Amino acid sequence: QVQLQESGPGLVKPSETLSLTCTVSGGSISSYYWSWIRQPAGKGLEWIGRIYTSGSTNYNPSLKSRVTMSVDTSKNQFSLKLSSVTAADTAVYYCARVGEYCSNNSCYEDAFDIWGQGTMVTVS
Amino acid sequence: SYELTQPPSVSVSPGQTARITCSGDALPKQYVYWYQQKPGQAPVVVIYKDSERPSGIPERFSGSSSGTTVTLTISGVQAEDEADYYCQSADSSGTLHVVFGGGTKLTVL
């Protein structure tokens, strides 16, 4: 079955750029939306953004100025870059697949149906 | 910005029914999804599109919708159901930005 695995540095210095990659295994990355979601310790989930395999993106307005997502279909990977990080960006970062459902000849985004295990990133 | 409101905590005894609400102005127009998150684990979807249950999720989990409020109901709560529960939806502005509720800690007494 499809599995996701986040990778990247666990420690980033303030003002630098956080970079993470999510590797998709057990299936193709194509024809799905993929998202990044983060969770500070003891707090709730925050959606960062989504990317389609065409490269089309959509970001959380509160992070939009600092976020860049990209996809590499040849490697079955998608990536997150978050610039100018501060301590407030310290969190567990999850990658997730956006499921899809179809109705009346149109298809729509569904739940985050597959998640990576998450990777802790500390800004310090 | 669009927000989804959940109670911070709900407590029930084993065998009782737990109800967790999620409120938002756009909910009549957008589906809601519910996720269960246990400590140290990634979230798992327990309810799709307001009321559909994925395969593998026990029948005691159900969802319902009424106006601007959706409800996750767990009937016959078991100790293993103790977890954080998050609702998720999208705004209705056309941008389809994803929004999560603040989460509800379900405690099984």
Side-chain angles (χ1 to χ4, degrees):
Chain A
Q1 73 276 22
V2 175
Q3 293 183 314
L4 308 183
Q5 179 67 58
E6 305 91 350
S7 59
L11 182 63
V12 182
K13 296 183 187 304
S15 80
E16 295 190 344
T17 296
L18 177 160
S19 296
L20 296 174
T21 295
C22 183
T23 300
V24 180
S25 60
S28 174
I29 196 172
S30 297
S31 303
Y32 280 99
Y33 278 98
W34 303 89
S35 268
W36 290 96
I37 296 154
R38 69 181 183 179
Q39 184 174 37
K43 296 188 178 181
L45 301 167
E46 180 180 32
W47 177 71
I48 300 171
R50 67 164 75 83
I51 185 166
Y52 192 64
T53 48
S54 64
S56 172
T57 57
N58 195 344
Y59 301 141
N60 185 326
S62 69
L63 298 169
K64 184 177 182 179
S65 64
R66 299 194 291 130
V67 172
T68 302
M69 293 183 184
S70 59
V71 61
D72 187 337
T73 54
S74 67
K75 294 183 179 179
N76 244 27
Q77 294 177 333
F78 62 103
S79 299
L80 167 70
K81 292 188 185 297
L82 181 66
S83 64
S84 305
V85 297
T86 69
D89 296 309
T90 294
V92 174
Y93 285 74
Y94 294 99
C95 58
R97 189 181 79 171
V98 183
E100 181 182 76
Y101 73 93
C102 299
S103 176
N104 297 328
N105 297 317
S106 294
C107 293
Y108 307 91
E109 291 182 36
D110 206 356
F112 298 110
D113 59 355
I114 302 174
W115 296 64
Q117 64 185 21
T119 188
M120 180 68 201
V121 178
T122 300
V123 179
S124 178
Chain B
S1 61
Y2 182 53
E3 294 183 352
L4 298 176
T5 301
Q6 297 181 236
S9 63
V10 169
S11 299
V12 295
S13 299
Q16 290 189 328
T17 296
R19 294 180 178 85
I20 300 173
T21 58
C22 174
S23 299
D25 290 342
L27 295 189
K29 303 177 184 177
Q30 298 290 344
Y31 283 127
V32 167
Y33 304 88
W34 288 96
Y35 300 86
Q36 176 194 67
Q37 185 181 34
K38 296 182 178 179
Q41 298 182 18
V44 173
V45 59
V46 294
I47 294 290
Y48 283 88
K49 301 203 294 290
D50 293 349
S51 59
E52 297 183 18
R53 192 176 56 252
S55 60
I57 300 301
E59 291 185 6
R60 62 181 181 273
F61 288 86
S62 64
S64 61
S65 175
S66 179
T68 58
T69 300
V70 295
T71 302
L72 172 68
T73 300
I74 309 172
S75 304
V77 167
Q78 300 184 5
E80 67 198 50
D81 299 329
E82 184 164 291
D84 293 324
Y85 291 85
Y86 294 91
C87 60
Q88 176 246 309
S89 188
D91 66 38
S92 59
S93 66
T95 61
L96 293 181
H97 290 144
V98 170
V99 179
F100 286 97
T104 299
K105 170 65 176 179
L106 175 65
T107 299
V108 182
L109 300 170

